[in-house]
Amino acid sequence: MEFFTHGRVATIAQQLIAEGRLKPVLIAGIAVNLQQRNQDYAMDGTRHEAYCEFVLDECIPEIEQHYSVDPAQRSMAGISLGAVATLSMMLHKRSLFRHFMLFSGAYFPSVQEALRMVADLSEYRAYMVVGDEEAEATTPNGVYDFLTYNRQMRDLLQERGMDITYKEAPGNHIWGFWQKLLPDALTWWQPTR
C-alpha cells in the first residue's frame, strides 16, 4: 500500500494515462505489516513461505476473479526488501509474472546466492533502479551498501539471461527518490508506442 500512500502510484498512473503514455491499468497493493515485514519479505524469514502462498495462491486469484488481467502483462514491483520478496515470488511460481520493477533492492549475499542457483531467466525482464547515494543507506535495521548489492544483482540476473533496464539516479533510500522514478518504471513496463 505504500506505493499508493508514499509513492502516489495511482496519481502518477492516472497522469500518464491522461497524457497517453500509459494504457489503463489495474494496480493492486498489499498493506505492509511493519512489525512482520522482515519475516514476511526476507527469503529466510519465518513467515516468508506463508506470505508467498498468500500473495500467489490467494491474492492474485481473488483479484483475477473480479478483474480481467492479461497474464502476459502481469507485473510485480517491490522496494528494498520488497524487491527481494518480488524476486522470491518469481522463484515460487515461475509462470505468474514476467515483468518486475525493482527499486533499491536489499540483495544481501544470501539473496544473490538464491538467484545464482537459477540457470535461466531469459523469459523475464526487470526495471532496476538504485540511488547513487545508497552506498551507505540508513535503514531501521542498519546501514547498507545497496548500490553495490544492486550492481551485483544486475550482473547476476543479466548473466542468467534476464532483460535488465538498470538505472542509477541521484537519490537515497527514501520514498521521495523512488516516487520520482515511478513514471519511468510504469512506461518501461507498458510502453504505448
Side-chain angles (χ1 to χ4, degrees):
M1 292 302 287
E2 288 183 338
F3 269 98
F4 291 93
T5 58
H6 297 23
R8 299 179 53 242
V9 69
T11 303
I12 292 167
Q14 180 60 39
Q15 181 64 39
L16 293 171
I17 292 167
E19 293 170 0
R21 296 172 54 203
L22 187 69
K23 297 174 192 162
V25 61
L26 170 71
I27 301 173
I30 300 171
V32 63
N33 178 335
L34 293 175
Q35 288 73 37
Q36 298 293 335
R37 180 179 177 273
N38 290 351
Q39 296 308 318
D40 287 346
Y41 291 6
M43 286 182 173
D44 60 355
T46 58
R47 297 167 36 112
H48 183 67
E49 292 300 317
Y51 183 75
C52 288
E53 288 174 14
F54 165 70
V55 173
L56 300 171
D57 298 334
E58 293 181 43
C59 288
I60 302 298
E62 180 67 20
I63 291 166
E64 295 187 356
Q65 180 178 336
H66 299 284
Y67 300 97
S68 176
V69 176
D70 178 356
Q73 287 297 311
R74 276 192 214 110
S75 180
M76 189 170 215
I79 289 175
S80 192
L81 199 52
V84 172
T86 296
L87 287 177
S88 185
M89 302 277 176
M90 174 193 69
L91 296 178
H92 277 79
K93 275 205 174 167
R94 300 271 317 251
S95 63
L96 201 55
F97 296 99
R98 296 279 187 255
H99 317 278
F100 305 96
M101 290 173 268
L102 308 169
F103 298 82
S104 304
Y107 306 123
F108 302 117
S110 61
V111 175
Q112 293 181 38
E113 191 55 36
L115 271 295
R116 196 169 277 114
M117 302 309 235
V118 182
D120 182 18
L121 295 172
S122 60
E123 62 190 295
Y124 304 102
R125 60 193 281 261
Y127 174 94
M128 295 178 71
V129 66
V130 64
D132 61 4
E133 298 171 33
E134 292 193 67
E136 293 183 9
T138 301
T139 74
N141 297 319
V143 177
Y144 299 102
D145 183 356
F146 290 126
L147 183 59
T148 297
Y149 287 153
N150 277 263
R151 288 172 177 169
Q152 292 168 340
M153 184 57 79
R154 172 204 58 205
D155 294 348
L156 194 155
L157 295 173
Q158 284 179 328
E159 288 167 5
R160 276 141 192 79
M162 190 180 283
D163 178 9
I164 301 291
T165 297
Y166 177 84
K167 297 184 183 221
E168 292 179 12
N172 209 327
H173 205 75
I174 57 173
W175 267 105
F177 166 64
W178 301 315
Q179 185 185 97
K180 291 176 191 171
L181 278 296
L182 270 173
D184 191 50
L186 289 168
T187 55
W188 162 88
W189 163 61
Q190 191 197 64
T192 57
R193 289 166 181 60

